[in-house]
Amino acid sequence: SLEEEKKSYIIIKNFKEAGRASKELKESIEKKNQNINKIEKNKKEIEKFDYLVNNAGYSSKGRDFNEQICEDTFKVNFNGTINFTEKLFGTFNKNGKIIFVTSKSGTLSKLKNENLISKFKNAKNVDDILKLSEKFKRSIPEEKTESDGWYKNCFAMSKLFLNFYAKLVIKKREISRESISVYSVHPGWCKTEMGGEHAPLEVGEGADKVIFLLELPDTVNKEYQGKFFDDNKVASLEIEIGRASCRERV
């Protein structure tokens, strides 16, 4: 239908723009933060909407790992994304949807410490995940990242935290009160600026994974709520899912 084609076009356009914008993303962080604050001040004037697709994504080039790379990555992929999302609480229509475009590189299989893994599994709420993210960040200047069991890749870790945020944010009153469905999804390794020209998937193929979730019934499905999706199926965050290359990014 025309409406479906329009929806597909908007999502594919957003994927392409995200790829082209990656170079300018760092420089625009402060400006975006100012816009987020404006949202909070003018919530009553915002027309309510149904769907939010969080496709923010940043990854540094190469294999360097340090505090600055971590800060830049988390500003976009994790802290910035959840800050923006939560500022919009109260502006959704009932039975809306929030979709986080994440990565299958963000699973517990990357962690090397059973105690650390158990903290993720036993996390009760969003605050528990935020505390763990700060612990990861502190491990970098303390040079304890590997010894504490973390994975030395800022992109993968930011997506791990975002996957668990999606899993636990459903407990917030703002989500349950308005019956909002929440999903995280791995779009695949796509031909964006971040994914590179050798990626096996076209942008539209990655967008199809998001469209699949948008086209699910708007009522909350308890089996799907807060879950991570890969290839249009619910996937586990506790095991390696296929070949989770850190190049599989959008």
Side-chain angles (χ1 to χ4, degrees):
S1 69
L2 180 61
E3 190 61 32
E4 288 175 339
E5 288 180 10
K6 182 179 178 183
K7 188 193 308 181
S8 300
Y9 169 75
I10 291 171
I11 295 171
I12 292 170
K13 179 173 177 287
N14 287 342
F15 267 65
K16 289 181 176 178
E17 288 179 350
R20 288 198 296 269
S22 60
K23 284 185 178 179
E24 292 79 27
L25 207 45
K26 284 169 61 179
E27 289 79 2
S28 66
I29 291 278
E30 293 305 320
K31 185 176 180 181
K32 290 182 185 297
N33 284 340
Q34 292 172 7
N35 291 337
I36 288 172
N37 292 332
K38 288 178 183 177
I39 290 172
E40 183 66 30
K41 292 178 182 178
N42 300 294
K43 248 183 193 179
K44 292 182 180 179
E45 299 176 15
I46 296 175
E47 184 178 348
K48 288 200 171 186
F49 56 94
D50 299 309
Y51 304 144
L52 171 64
V53 178
N54 280 302
N55 186 45
Y58 169 78
S59 179
S60 63
K61 301 295 183 182
R63 297 182 176 274
D64 290 343
F65 180 81
N66 55 52
E67 285 181 80
Q68 188 60 55
I69 289 174
C70 178
E71 181 181 349
D72 293 342
T73 305
F74 273 69
K75 268 185 179 179
V76 178
N77 296 1
F78 182 62
N79 299 98
T81 296
I82 65 175
N83 186 28
F84 178 74
T85 300
E86 295 190 2
K87 292 290 186 185
L88 290 174
F89 285 169
T91 65
F92 287 89
N93 287 317
K94 197 170 183 66
N95 296 123
K97 289 179 184 174
I98 299 175
I99 298 172
F100 297 96
V101 180
T102 62
S103 171
K104 67 181 181 182
S105 66
T107 66
L108 292 179
S109 63
K110 296 291 191 292
L111 304 181
K112 308 303 178 185
N113 182 304
E114 288 300 324
N115 182 52
L116 186 58
I117 291 171
S118 69
K119 288 181 179 179
F120 277 88
K121 290 181 178 180
N122 297 325
K124 303 295 184 185
N125 50 49
V126 165
D127 286 342
D128 288 345
I129 295 302
L130 290 171
K131 289 174 184 175
L132 281 170
S133 73
E134 292 304 314
K135 186 175 181 180
F136 167 70
K137 293 175 188 176
R138 288 196 302 271
S139 77
I140 300 173
E142 294 173 358
E143 299 183 352
K144 294 181 178 180
T145 306
E146 287 186 300
S147 61
D148 284 352
W150 300 105
Y151 182 48
K152 286 184 69 174
N153 183 289
C154 295
F155 176 84
M157 291 308 304
S158 69
K159 295 301 186 179
L160 171 63
F161 286 115
L162 190 58
N163 283 332
F164 272 85
Y165 173 82
K167 178 182 178 181
L168 293 167
V169 73
I170 63 174
K171 296 185 178 183
K172 282 185 172 283
R173 184 178 59 182
E174 295 89 342
I175 297 294
S176 58
R177 182 179 59 210
E178 301 299 330
S179 300
I180 297 172
S181 299
V182 180
Y183 313 112
S184 59
V185 58
H186 172 68
W189 178 12
C190 300
K191 288 183 175 72
T192 61
E193 182 175 307
M194 196 179 344
E197 62 181 12
H198 299 298
L201 300 180
E202 297 296 332
V203 171
E205 294 176 277
D208 284 341
K209 312 292 179 61
V210 177
I211 293 171
F212 168 79
L213 296 174
L214 288 173
E215 292 181 340
L216 290 175
D218 288 338
T219 52
V220 173
N221 182 324
K222 291 183 178 180
E223 292 184 12
Y224 291 168
Q225 182 70 324
K227 294 297 194 297
F228 173 70
F229 280 75
D230 182 30
D231 285 333
N232 298 345
K233 299 185 292 291
V234 173
S236 173
L237 289 173
E238 297 184 14
I239 60 175
E240 189 82 28
I241 307 170
R243 183 174 178 271
S245 167
C246 287
R247 293 189 65 189
E248 291 175 318
R249 307 162 181 162
V250 170

